Amino acid sequence: MKLNSDIVNDFLSESMLIRSYGRGVGALRLCRPRIYAGETNEFLPDQLYVALVDQLPPDPVFHRGTVIVCVGGEPLPVYTTGTCVCLAVLDSTDLFTVFNQVQDIYDRLDKWEEQLRNALEKETNIPAMLEASFEILGNPIVVIDAEYNIAGYSRAIDEREDLKLYRPDEDRMMRYDLVSRSLWENETNMTMKKPFTIMYEGNVHFSSNLFDETGYIGNLSIPFVLRRYRTSDNILSQYLVKYVEQALRRLVTLKNARTDLLRDMFRSLLKGYPISSSARQYFDSYAEKPSYRCIRAVPSERSGKKVPAAYIYNLLERACQGSAAFEYDSGIVAFIRIQESDDKDRAQITHLMQKLDLSAGVSTAIPYSQLHRVR
């Protein structure tokens, strides 16, 4: 895995005092280090060198992407004016100790890259990706799908009480109190293609939406609440995003299509279209055709919380199996399948409406034979 100067600087600073000069290339293009032995005054592009200060030439020729780790004091001014990136080691140490530590950084990140690749190619295992990445980023990571189901989260979230806010609820969805917090009410939305960071309660939060060819499929979030956010965390988080996005794309294609079928059917019925042949085949599998109640819900006038519609209709579908909910006509419409536990289901729906600060109207029972009249 190739790195950049920010990564080398941040990781090397964990064990020694570094003074940085110059601005490096953001892309991951920096090759493994070479020991500079004074053989030439020309430094190659995108090459990392470890050098003794007294061996550096007074008339260097730099190329784009050159990075030099200097050992033994401050280098000449020509190395500190920004023409190249120079990382001056201020601790009293030797050339080979520094060289070995830089090699260790590359080894560590090579191992991480291998763990990410194995988790993707062998198992499509998002939790394994996040566990490996916790060792690199030092902070909890949460991945959700488009309907706020938790696709994976760092094990430390379960192990540490100070991270309990980020635990999923009993249905493995993002907790309602977290969804409704102002962190999710900023002017960031599901159409943003580029990763972004925001400040919340004094901590940086990294966030990146995840997409496939059809659009938004989820989000990866890293609240930097354990270790402070470093410059290199952005590019490393983006590197993780690439793998998680590929994994989530594969998992989305394996999703049960039944709910999508029901949503499409009821949405079409509301628009006045007949039941499709695929929907009829689905209902033909029932010995006794189901009946439904229709619910239309909107935020109550007193509600000050903004909760995404996808979160609400997924909660409703989880509460009542065989049901379908979706956005329609500036509100949430749900068709709740009536079952033997109807009284319990109605009580649970009432509880959800109150929890989510929603005002709702509920229809009488609609038998399958009358669904064409729901409009």
Side-chain angles (χ1 to χ4, degrees), residues 143-149 151 190 209-219 244-252:
V143 177
I144 60 172
D145 67 14
E147 295 178 353
Y148 294 86
N149 300 301
M190 297 176 183
N209 291 328
L210 309 173
F211 297 90
D212 66 6
E213 63 278 0
T214 65
Y216 175 84
I217 57 172
N219 178 274
V244 171
E245 188 172 63
Q246 290 180 69
L248 195 58
R249 285 175 180 176
R250 296 181 185 181
L251 294 174
V252 165

Side-chain angles (χ1 to χ4, degrees), residues 1-245:
M1 178 178 175
K2 292 184 178 181
L3 309 183
N4 66 16
S5 59
D6 289 332
I7 297 172
V8 175
N9 184 21
D10 286 342
F11 279 77
L12 204 56
S13 295
E14 292 177 356
S15 57
M16 55 186 63
L17 186 60
I18 304 293
R19 182 173 292 155
S20 176
Y21 299 96
R23 186 173 181 178
V25 176
L28 300 180
R29 300 194 328 219
L30 193 61
C31 299
R32 276 185 174 265
R34 298 171 56 175
I35 291 179
Y36 177 77
E39 64 276 14
T40 177
N41 69 336
E42 184 174 2
F43 293 90
L44 297 175
D46 298 318
Q47 180 61 57
L48 175 61
Y49 295 88
V50 180
L52 291 171
V53 167
D54 56 12
Q55 288 188 330
L56 291 173
D59 55 346
V61 176
F62 299 122
H63 292 278
R64 180 172 170 78
T66 297
V67 178
I68 306 173
V69 178
C70 299
V71 182
E74 292 279 357
L76 295 171
V78 68
Y79 292 91
T80 63
T81 55
T83 318
C84 74
V85 173
C86 179
L87 305 177
V89 178
L90 304 183
D91 288 354
S92 178
T93 186
D94 62 88
L95 179 73
F96 295 104
T97 296
V98 175
F99 179 80
N100 287 339
Q101 291 208 25
V102 175
Q103 288 280 34
D104 287 345
I105 295 170
Y106 275 83
D107 290 343
R108 183 179 174 187
L109 290 166
D110 277 348
K111 179 183 177 182
W112 177 52
E113 181 186 40
E114 182 181 8
Q115 290 172 319
L116 294 178
R117 188 183 301 113
N118 287 341
L120 175 64
E121 296 176 354
K122 295 181 179 180
E123 305 174 85
T124 316
N125 190 333
I126 291 177
M129 294 180 183
L130 306 189
E131 203 55 40
S133 301
F134 184 82
E135 301 300 319
I136 301 299
L137 296 164
N139 281 281
I141 310 168
V142 178
V143 177
I144 60 172
D145 67 14
E147 295 178 353
Y148 294 86
N149 300 301
I150 300 290
Y153 63 99
S154 302
R155 187 172 58 198
I157 290 173
D158 281 336
E159 296 173 342
R160 298 181 54 137
E161 281 301 303
D162 55 344
L163 299 178
K164 65 181 180 181
L165 172 66
Y166 306 103
R167 294 172 189 167
D169 65 13
E170 61 275 10
D171 293 317
R172 286 193 61 80
M173 291 181 65
M174 180 176 286
R175 298 175 67 89
Y176 171 71
D177 50 354
L178 181 58
V179 175
S180 61
R181 281 172 61 168
S182 61
L183 172 61
W184 301 94
E185 296 173 10
N186 281 268
E187 294 184 11
T188 54
N189 57 53
M190 297 176 183
T191 64
M192 290 187 65
K193 295 292 182 72
K194 293 183 178 180
F196 55 91
T197 57
I198 59 174
M199 289 294 297
Y200 187 80
E201 293 185 348
N203 296 309
V204 173
H205 288 67
F206 173 92
S207 185
S208 179
N209 291 328
L210 309 173
F211 297 90
D212 66 6
E213 63 278 0
T214 65
Y216 175 84
I217 57 172
N219 178 274
L220 179 147
S221 177
I222 310 174
F224 282 81
V225 293
L226 299 181
R227 168 179 68 67
R228 67 174 180 83
Y229 179 80
R230 306 186 303 200
T231 305
S232 64
D233 286 326
N234 191 285
I235 190 70
L236 291 173
S237 298
Q238 291 185 51
Y239 197 80
L240 169 62
V241 165
K242 290 193 303 182
Y243 281 91
V244 171
E245 188 172 63

